[in-house]
Amino acid sequence: MGDMLTSGTEYEAARTIWNGAVTSRPLAVLRCATTADVQAGVRTAREKGLPLSVRGGGHDWAGRALTDGGLTLDLSPMRQVSVDPATAVATVAGGATSADVAAAAQRVGLVAVTGTAGSVGMAGLTLGGGYGPLSGRFGLAADNLLSAEVVLADGTSVTADEERDPELLWALRGGGGNFGVVTSMRIRLHAVPTILAGMIMFGFDVLPELEESLLRGPDELTVQAGFITAPTGEPALFVAPTWCGEPEVGTKVLERLTELGEPLAAQFGPTTMTDQLAQIDAMFPAGRHVEIGARTVTGLDRTVQEILLDAAAARTSPLSAISLHSLHGAAARVPADATAFRNRAPHLMVETIAVWEPGDPAEDRHRAWVRRTDRLPGGYPNLLGPGDVERTAAAFGPNAERLLSAKKRYDPDLVFHAPGRL
């Protein structure tokens, strides 16, 4: 079995995660280097009656990677990524981050469908769905999951793919980490001619003009937008496009985005996925205090605009942001019942991110600000908080019953508690 940590420097490092507001203290942290370590950890938790949690990238804002008084399985030593260029498939260990996967793919001229931040665990992102800058062309991260090695609640290890346990594979594609610990997975990679990306800053008045680009652009174009603090210190609406296709066409498409209004600043050009992920990590570094809300809307009608503009104007911290993640193109053409991730109609996932420095006396105001978007419908299970059970069930829709059946089959004793839990 791997190293069992109960105190000391290594223990403190293992229980320190991205959101500095999380102060949970597990009874013990088991550092896992192999599948056998994970199996031993699951069995130990069962035998001792300890609550069990799993830490991959440690990026879940609600801190579910840790559990007070329980046993945390720390998969961070398991970060290996191997790529087969001939088949364009990566084998990804359970603790690998999105940055690890993007870098391994890049070395052989391929790209991986990741989220927007490099420090996010690739397994956790994938199991919850995984919006990202390449989703318009290649679907969600979950859509690119080919198979997974999973340690179940009884400590056994199984392989889920289209031939061996396809029902478990279905549940893992967007149903969250509620069925076992993914110690390894195989994901599909892709070749693209180039990646063009950048950032355009506008005044708030451009918001009504964004819907077409966000939801009805070509597959090769995925646009993230929202509200942040500009380098000048003033609030601004940002438009962050990513083009993964022919560069000549992409340059013209991105230039047209600057014509949506009068840009305050605009910069775009060739880039790599690793550079894009690193930029977001720099914007949202580990250690700050965070609370996140997640909602989904079908478009930018007047009511949605009013709610977003009100929240943007009322930000209580210059570090806070609102981000609109687009689901369109290839991700929207997957049948709603083909994976556990149900919401396949073109839509925007609204991520309200309150961020403040440790010791800020206005913590309660920052947390309350997140709720300014509560009037919006829907939700994204990967980002919903522990109390959002009704929104989680609504997000899964008719797939919820099938997921509950899978939960009873693979984890009848409710050992695993992860984002997206019904």
Side-chain angles (χ1 to χ4, degrees):
M1 189 161 67
D3 295 335
M4 189 73 79
L5 310 174
T6 57
S7 62
T9 303
E10 290 188 32
Y11 168 84
E12 293 298 332
R15 75 166 196 90
T16 301
I17 58 176
W18 175 71
N19 184 0
V22 176
T23 59
S24 300
R25 299 191 68 87
L27 178 67
V29 175
L30 177 62
R31 299 198 69 195
C32 300
T34 66
T35 296
D37 291 344
V38 175
Q39 291 178 283
V42 171
R43 290 174 177 142
T44 298
R46 296 294 299 273
E47 291 167 3
K48 303 294 185 181
L50 295 173
L52 183 67
S53 64
V54 181
R55 172 182 173 161
H59 216 281
D60 172 44
W61 73 269
R64 285 162 287 206
L66 308 173
T67 179
D68 269 322
L71 176 61
T72 291
L73 306 183
D74 180 9
L75 271 58
S76 61
M78 302 173 65
R79 292 178 61 172
Q80 304 88 345
V81 181
S82 62
V83 176
D84 182 350
T87 59
V89 171
T91 301
V92 180
T97 66
S98 295
D100 294 331
V101 178
Q106 186 174 311
R107 285 193 287 270
V108 296
L110 299 171
V111 296
V113 176
T114 70
T116 57
S119 58
V120 171
M122 189 67 188
L125 170 82
T126 301
L127 299 183
Y131 297 77
L134 304 181
S135 295
R137 184 167 180 187
F138 301 120
L140 301 174
D143 299 328
N144 290 273
L145 176 63
L146 300 174
S147 68
E149 180 185 77
V150 186
V151 174
L152 299 178
D154 62 2
T156 59
S157 179
V158 301
T159 298
D161 58 24
E162 295 290 0
E163 296 181 355
R164 296 168 293 181
D165 220 330
E167 186 66 8
L168 179 56
L169 179 64
W170 177 88
L172 295 174
R173 287 173 166 163
N178 296 301
F179 311 98
V181 184
V182 172
T183 54
S184 179
M185 59 184 186
R186 295 170 64 251
I187 63 171
R188 184 183 298 108
L189 303 178
H190 305 274
V192 298
T194 192
I195 294 177
L196 301 176
M199 180 79 76
I200 311 168
M201 298 282 189
F202 294 103
F204 285 10
D205 59 307
V206 174
L207 181 63
E209 312 303 321
L210 284 179
E211 184 174 283
E212 184 73 20
S213 299
L214 287 166
L215 294 176
R216 291 181 287 277
D219 289 4
E220 295 89 346
L221 177 68
T222 297
V223 178
Q224 185 178 357
F227 302 93
I228 58 173
T229 301
T232 60
E234 298 298 318
L237 187 154
F238 76 88
V239 177
T242 299
W243 174 270
C244 56
E246 293 300 327
E248 296 82 3
V249 177
T251 298
K252 294 177 181 177
V253 170
L254 268 58
E255 286 176 346
R256 283 198 292 271
L257 288 174
T258 66
E259 299 169 1
L260 292 172
E262 187 66 34
L264 305 175
Q267 183 176 6
F268 54 83
T271 190
T272 64
M273 283 300 300
T274 54
D275 285 347
Q276 277 192 277
L277 296 173
Q279 289 173 8
I280 296 299
D281 287 338
M283 290 177 64
F284 297 97
R288 289 173 174 167
H289 290 197
V290 180
E291 179 149 336
I292 292 178
R295 303 291 180 255
T296 52
V297 296
T298 57
L300 294 174
D301 63 28
R302 182 170 297 180
T303 299
V304 172
Q305 290 179 41
E306 289 175 355
I307 293 171
L308 292 177
L309 291 170
D310 170 68
R315 284 186 312 147
T316 57
S317 166
L319 302 175
S320 297
I322 299 173
S323 186
L324 308 179
H325 302 264
S326 166
L327 187 140
H328 78 296
R333 292 193 291 271
V334 176
D337 60 357
T339 67
F341 190 96
R342 176 79 188 184
N343 190 358
R344 296 296 183 160
H347 66 268
L348 301 174
M349 189 269 286
V350 180
E351 183 182 9
T352 309
I353 314 164
V355 185
W356 62 98
E357 295 288 0
D360 187 330
E363 175 180 341
D364 290 343
R365 288 182 58 234
H366 301 320
R367 293 187 186 278
W369 173 77
V370 173
R371 295 191 288 275
R372 294 188 80 99
T373 57
D374 271 356
R375 288 182 290 154
L376 295 174
Y380 173 36
N382 230 5
L383 289 177
L384 290 175
D388 284 320
V389 177
E390 290 186 8
R391 286 186 184 269
T392 300
F396 287 125
N399 286 353
E401 184 176 350
R402 186 174 171 184
L403 277 168
L404 288 171
S405 295
K407 182 68 172 175
K408 291 177 183 177
R409 175 179 173 184
Y410 297 106
D411 184 19
D413 297 325
L414 306 181
V415 171
F416 298 108
H417 306 264
R421 181 182 175 187
L422 292 171

